């Protein structure tokens, strides 16, 4: 019998293919039914200044605030800009480290959707010396 | 049959459990071309779920730009040594797997 997948909203909602096809951050937010994020110092984002292997770039994004609904990670010059959407319960700190592909030097975004509807973001430019989406 | 997901969950002195996960998956973005010029079709993890002692604590949807053999890390609150951390993934071909580890402390 197949394992019972988690009963959180993300596990139950259909895969947002439109959002993962989006070719710009604005299109990805729109496809997810979100507005425009506001830059906030409460959103932490760690990424290297220079990534030598675009195939695997370790980024950390999230916040120490409580009341988080979703954490999104985006790479704005990738063919598919949205990398990941996380939905943590209260048992998980809303900060995630993930290895992503970067096709070329780009701006990485960490975006946090709060329970109260606020959309907060932090960005960082990452220079890539060997691109990783088609290599 | 995919290779197992490696999971390490370590309880720290501050009460947080650091969970480090290494999944085994090709994660083809659908952008890569073979030597003959043909596009390799997208084949990647779409859904990730984590449970603590059978209770769902995290879900994620991933796109095609997550790296091959993806590494994921986060902190759990309120876990104790011996608690079970189960990590499951499903890819765009409908393949799933679930692996489990115990919190060490």
């Amino acid at each position: 019998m197949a394992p019972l997948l988690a009963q959180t909203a993300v596990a139950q909602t259909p895969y947002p293919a439109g959002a993962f096809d989006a070719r710009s951050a604005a299109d990805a937010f729109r496809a997810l039914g979100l507005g425009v994020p506001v830059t906030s110092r409460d959103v932490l984002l760690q990424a290297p200044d220079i990534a030598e292997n675009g195939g695997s770039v370790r980024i950390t994004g999230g916040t120490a605030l409580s009341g988080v609904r979703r954490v999104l990670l985006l790479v704005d010059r990738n063919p598919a800009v949205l990398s990941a959407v996380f939905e943590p319960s209260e048992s998980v700190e809303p900060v995630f480290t993930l290895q992503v592909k970067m096709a070329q030097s780009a701006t990485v975004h960490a975006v946090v959707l709060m329970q109260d509807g606020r959309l907060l973001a932090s960005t960082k430019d990452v220079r890539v010396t060997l691109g990783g989406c088609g290599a | 049959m995919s290779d197992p997901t490696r999971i390490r969950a370590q309880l720290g002195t501050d009460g947080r459990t650091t969970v480090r996960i290494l999944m085994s998956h090709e994660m083809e973005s659908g952008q890569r071309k073979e030597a003959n010029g043909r596009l390799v079709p997208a084949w990647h993890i779409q859904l990730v779920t984590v449970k603590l002692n059978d209770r769902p604590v995290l879900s994620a949807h991933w796109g095609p730009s997550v790296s091959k053999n993806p590494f994921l890390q986060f902190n759990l609150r309120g876990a104790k040594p011996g608690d079970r951390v189960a990590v499951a993934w499903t890819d765009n071909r409908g393949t799933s797997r679930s692996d489990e580890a115990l919190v060490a402390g």
Side-chain angles (χ1 to χ4, degrees):
Chain A
M1 182 163 153
L4 193 63
L5 290 179
Q7 300 296 306
T8 62
V10 161
Q12 288 182 313
T13 54
Y15 184 73
F20 285 111
D21 283 339
R23 301 185 77 85
S24 72
D27 287 346
F29 299 139
R30 202 172 304 121
L32 290 171
L34 302 173
V36 177
V38 166
T39 301
S40 166
R41 292 210 309 215
D42 286 324
V43 178
L44 89 95
L45 172 58
Q46 287 163 353
D49 295 329
I50 298 174
E52 294 188 5
N53 174 15
S56 183
V57 183
R58 191 170 285 200
I59 63 179
T60 299
T63 181
L65 297 174
S66 50
V68 172
R69 242 176 82 195
R70 303 262 162 95
V71 176
L72 287 61
L73 298 174
L74 300 93
V75 178
D76 75 357
R77 292 174 86 194
N78 273 358
V81 169
L82 180 64
S83 285
V85 180
F86 293 94
E87 184 180 305
S89 71
E90 287 296 312
S91 298
V92 170
E93 287 183 6
V95 178
F96 300 96
T97 298
L98 184 66
Q99 281 173 334
V100 299
K101 296 179 182 135
M102 291 188 64
Q104 57 183 300
S105 300
T107 303
V108 175
H109 302 232
V111 179
V112 175
L113 172 65
M114 303 297 290
Q115 301 281 2
D116 64 12
R118 280 180 299 153
L119 196 63
L120 310 173
S122 194
T123 64
K124 177 169 180 180
D125 292 340
V126 176
R127 202 154 79 76
V128 173
T129 55
L130 187 67
C133 269
Chain B
M1 183 69 194
S2 48
D3 285 338
T5 297
R6 283 152 62 173
I7 306 165
R8 285 230 310 269
Q10 180 72 43
L11 176 63
T13 48
D14 57 2
R16 298 144 91 200
T17 297
T18 299
V19 180
R20 293 182 175 89
I21 297 165
L22 185 64
M23 299 177 200
S24 175
H25 199 288
E26 279 302 311
M27 302 296 281
E28 289 289 354
S29 66
Q31 300 290 325
R32 192 170 66 85
K33 285 197 175 118
E34 288 176 321
N36 60 15
R38 290 183 51 189
L39 269 184
V40 177
W43 176 33
H44 63 85
I45 292 169
Q46 291 188 323
L47 175 65
V48 175
T49 57
V50 179
K51 292 193 206 172
L52 179 63
N53 294 328
D54 297 320
R55 190 172 54 87
V57 291
L58 173 68
S59 292
H61 278 144
W62 285 359
S65 63
V66 176
S67 295
K68 175 175 168 168
N69 297 332
F71 173 79
L72 168 66
Q73 178 175 324
F74 56 87
N75 291 328
L76 274 175
R77 295 169 172 142
K80 311 178 307 297
D83 281 350
R84 283 175 297 115
V85 177
V87 178
W89 56 254
T90 303
D91 70 19
N92 65 319
R93 291 183 187 171
T95 305
S96 300
R97 75 166 296 134
S98 183
D99 296 275
E100 202 173 272
L102 300 184
V103 172

